[in-house]
Amino acid sequence: MSVTPIVDDPNRDYGDKVVAVEPGGVEFIPLDERHGSPVQLLWTWTSPNLEFATVAVGILGPLYFGLSFVQTLAAIVLGSALGGLTQGVLSTWGPGHGLAQMVISRSGFGFIGNALPAGLNAVVAGIGWFAVNSVSGALALHALVDGLPKWLCLVIVVAAQMLIAFFGHNLVQAFERWAFPVLALVFLVASIVVFSKAHPGAAGGGGGIGGFLVMTGATFGYAAGWNPYAADYTRYLAPKTPKLPVAVFAGLGVFLSCTLLETVGAAVVTAGGKAVAPSAFTDLLPTWLGKITLLCICGGAVAANAINIYSGSLSFMTLGIALRTHFARASVALAFGVIGFFVALGGLKNAGEDYENFLLVISYWIGPWLGVVLVDRLLRRGRDIQALLGDRKYENLAGPIAMAVGGVLSIWLFSNQSKYVGLVPKHHPAFGDLTFEVGFAIAAVLYFVLVRVFKPALGTEPAPEGAAPVTVPA
């Protein structure tokens, strides 16, 4: 097998240094470089959601889907809870493997087949999400300093994001920690002011079950958008780190931040907001608080995109493309930042409907991917799969087939957005959008069946609980 024994690489010399460029790419994290504690996951997954993009998700419910405040709130809680739950589960895989999430994904897809989810995540995270959050940060900065042209605001926001992602894991984690208390305090105060002006009982509710399901899909897509990154931020934890606090802090970070600010977004509409724009939120605040909030929206966008570029670069490295440089991942992060900048530049004029479509598309591919990786993990209980994750010859056709079939069938039958309406909602609009639920179910069941057909290697047994891994990707 094309695998490499674990050794502590003396050339890394990274450890817990904050202002140092993280070396290498997606290799196993040596044991002497492990550091941190589960509680850090609370701010790692709270800070990137404390931005206007999160508020915008809540605005969609009453403004675009015709839901009442209560219906929107129910969809927000359900979608965010599901996304937070899966975030917690996936985060527990990082310490034991010492590998990034998309490297661990090779278990269910094989080395080559894993190019399907890893490639999608590289594009969605490193370019798609980067563009969405950069636009929201740039618009906030433009609203704060009207004299600055939008393109220059975008340059400033993107430059800050790229700098943090270039340095890597430790600076990303440190920035989320530093940003957390400031962003949390400002957005909490702003939320209280918005709720004081909201009218939760205002007319609405015309969206029906269809609108509710679309909103649930959008909120799940937003929360679960972090799922393919989960282990990226727990792989530096010690192998024997208890799983429960890892799952709880990671899941709560996503759930609490998404639920709070998305609910604020719904309240914005009941208070008179009519657009998916930072001004719809900040116009409800006193001038001084509005200006501080705009500044924090910029900070939140940077917090989110530092993670997006960093994890996008890891996903790209997972494809197995060899870059012979000590700073391979850092170089990829810069390249993704430049591409994302030009995508964002074209999106400065349009939000609303395109944002809704983007959120749904995220859930469309993450649903089937989750179906595969979660069932795969259940089938491999008690087995050591570390060697398989680094074996370039390891094949598992069950994964890519199940994900592709689940994705294509669910989109064809149940997609319900402006770009494409599936067969079922076309004839029965009340069904809304069940794409992510159906995609998850089809992929999970099909993978369970196909594993018995293709019979991929399942790993060795027994695998002692909390034992350190024994192999790493070549």
Side-chain angles (χ1 to χ4, degrees):
M1 288 189 297
S2 177
V3 295
T4 306
I6 284 181
V7 293
D8 289 340
D9 183 359
N11 295 319
R12 282 182 61 92
D13 190 28
Y14 183 57
D16 59 359
K17 295 178 180 177
V18 174
V19 186
V21 179
E22 181 185 11
V26 290
E27 299 85 359
F28 170 81
I29 304 302
L31 300 182
D32 68 348
E33 297 223 338
R34 302 298 186 92
H35 61 277
S37 64
V39 70
Q40 70 192 38
L41 299 172
L42 181 62
W43 47 74
T44 295
W45 297 118
T46 298
S47 295
N49 289 318
L50 298 179
E51 57 158 342
F52 178 73
T54 315
V55 177
V57 178
I59 292 176
L60 296 176
L63 189 62
Y64 282 87
F65 306 149
L67 299 177
S68 68
F69 177 83
V70 173
Q71 289 172 324
T72 302
L73 176 61
I76 288 170
V77 171
L78 178 58
S80 300
L82 290 173
L85 176 64
T86 49
Q87 183 75 6
V89 171
L90 296 172
S91 294
T92 64
W93 300 358
H97 289 293
L99 298 168
Q101 190 69 58
M102 279 295 138
V103 176
I104 300 174
S105 177
R106 290 173 179 166
S107 171
F109 290 85
F111 192 93
I112 295 177
N114 194 54
L116 175 60
L120 281 170
N121 194 49
V123 173
V124 171
I127 299 176
W129 265 123
F130 178 84
V132 167
N133 290 317
S134 294
V135 167
S136 102
L139 291 177
L141 184 58
H142 176 70
L144 181 63
V145 188
D146 191 49
L148 290 178
K150 291 181 179 179
W151 67 265
L152 181 56
C153 293
L154 183 63
V155 169
I156 294 172
V157 171
V158 168
Q161 295 164 166
M162 290 173 62
L163 178 64
I164 297 170
F166 177 80
F167 276 90
H169 178 274
N170 291 347
L171 184 57
V172 171
Q173 293 273 34
F175 183 82
E176 307 303 334
R177 183 177 73 249
W178 298 332
F180 173 68
V182 177
L183 296 178
L185 177 61
V186 172
F187 275 107
L188 182 60
V189 173
S191 298
I192 293 172
V193 173
V194 171
F195 282 131
S196 72
K197 297 182 178 181
H199 304 282
I209 186 64
F212 175 80
L213 291 174
V214 174
M215 184 62 187
T216 301
T219 55
F220 170 78
Y222 190 82
W226 303 116
N227 285 181
Y229 315 168
D232 299 355
Y233 302 92
T234 58
R235 64 198 175 113
Y236 274 86
L237 296 177
K240 293 185 179 181
T241 302
K243 292 183 178 181
L244 183 59
V246 169
V248 169
F249 285 120
L252 280 180
V254 170
F255 173 72
L256 294 177
S257 54
C258 287
T259 300
L260 172 62
L261 288 196
E262 288 170 14
T263 304
V264 171
V268 165
V269 179
T270 70
K274 299 297 182 184
V276 183
S279 58
F281 175 44
T282 56
D283 284 352
L284 297 173
L285 307 174
T287 302
W288 66 270
L289 181 58
K291 290 184 179 297
I292 294 175
T293 303
L294 285 171
L295 186 60
C296 285
I297 287 175
C298 293
V302 173
N305 273 348
I307 284 181
N308 284 321
I309 309 177
Y310 177 75
S311 286
S313 64
L314 290 180
S315 293
F316 180 82
M317 298 294 294
T318 303
L319 298 176
I321 299 173
L323 296 176
R324 303 300 180 186
T325 170
H326 191 53
F327 300 128
R329 181 217 50 81
S331 301
V332 172
L334 286 182
F336 271 48
V338 172
I339 296 172
F341 166 77
F342 286 105
V343 174
L345 195 60
L348 282 174
K349 297 180 180 179
N350 204 1
E353 190 176 273
D354 287 343
Y355 188 46
E356 166 202 339
N357 293 335
F358 180 68
L359 290 171
L360 291 173
V361 168
I362 291 172
S363 69
Y364 290 173
W365 83 264
I366 289 182
W369 173 75
L370 279 173
V372 170
V373 297
L374 292 178
V375 171
D376 178 75
R377 180 62 52 147
L378 287 174
L379 294 177
R380 297 175 189 272
R381 283 179 300 176
R383 293 178 179 270
D384 188 337
I385 63 172
Q386 196 76 3
L388 298 179
L389 302 180
D391 184 0
R392 290 176 175 267
K393 296 181 180 179
Y394 167 61
E395 293 183 355
N396 187 359
L397 293 176
I401 291 175
M403 180 177 171
V405 172
V408 170
L409 283 180
S410 59
I411 292 172
W412 173 57
L413 291 172
F414 292 99
S415 174
N416 189 6
Q417 55 166 297
S418 62
K419 302 298 182 183
Y420 173 74
V421 178
L423 193 62
V424 174
K426 183 179 294 184
H427 295 90
H428 305 281
F431 272 94
D433 193 311
L434 293 171
T435 308
F436 92 84
E437 297 97 327
V438 174
F440 175 90
I442 291 176
V445 172
L446 188 55
Y447 182 76
F448 184 84
V449 172
L450 289 178
V451 164
R452 283 150 178 76
V453 174
F454 292 107
K455 301 185 184 307
L458 294 178
T460 60
E461 58 176 337
E465 182 68 21
V470 295
T471 53
V472 294

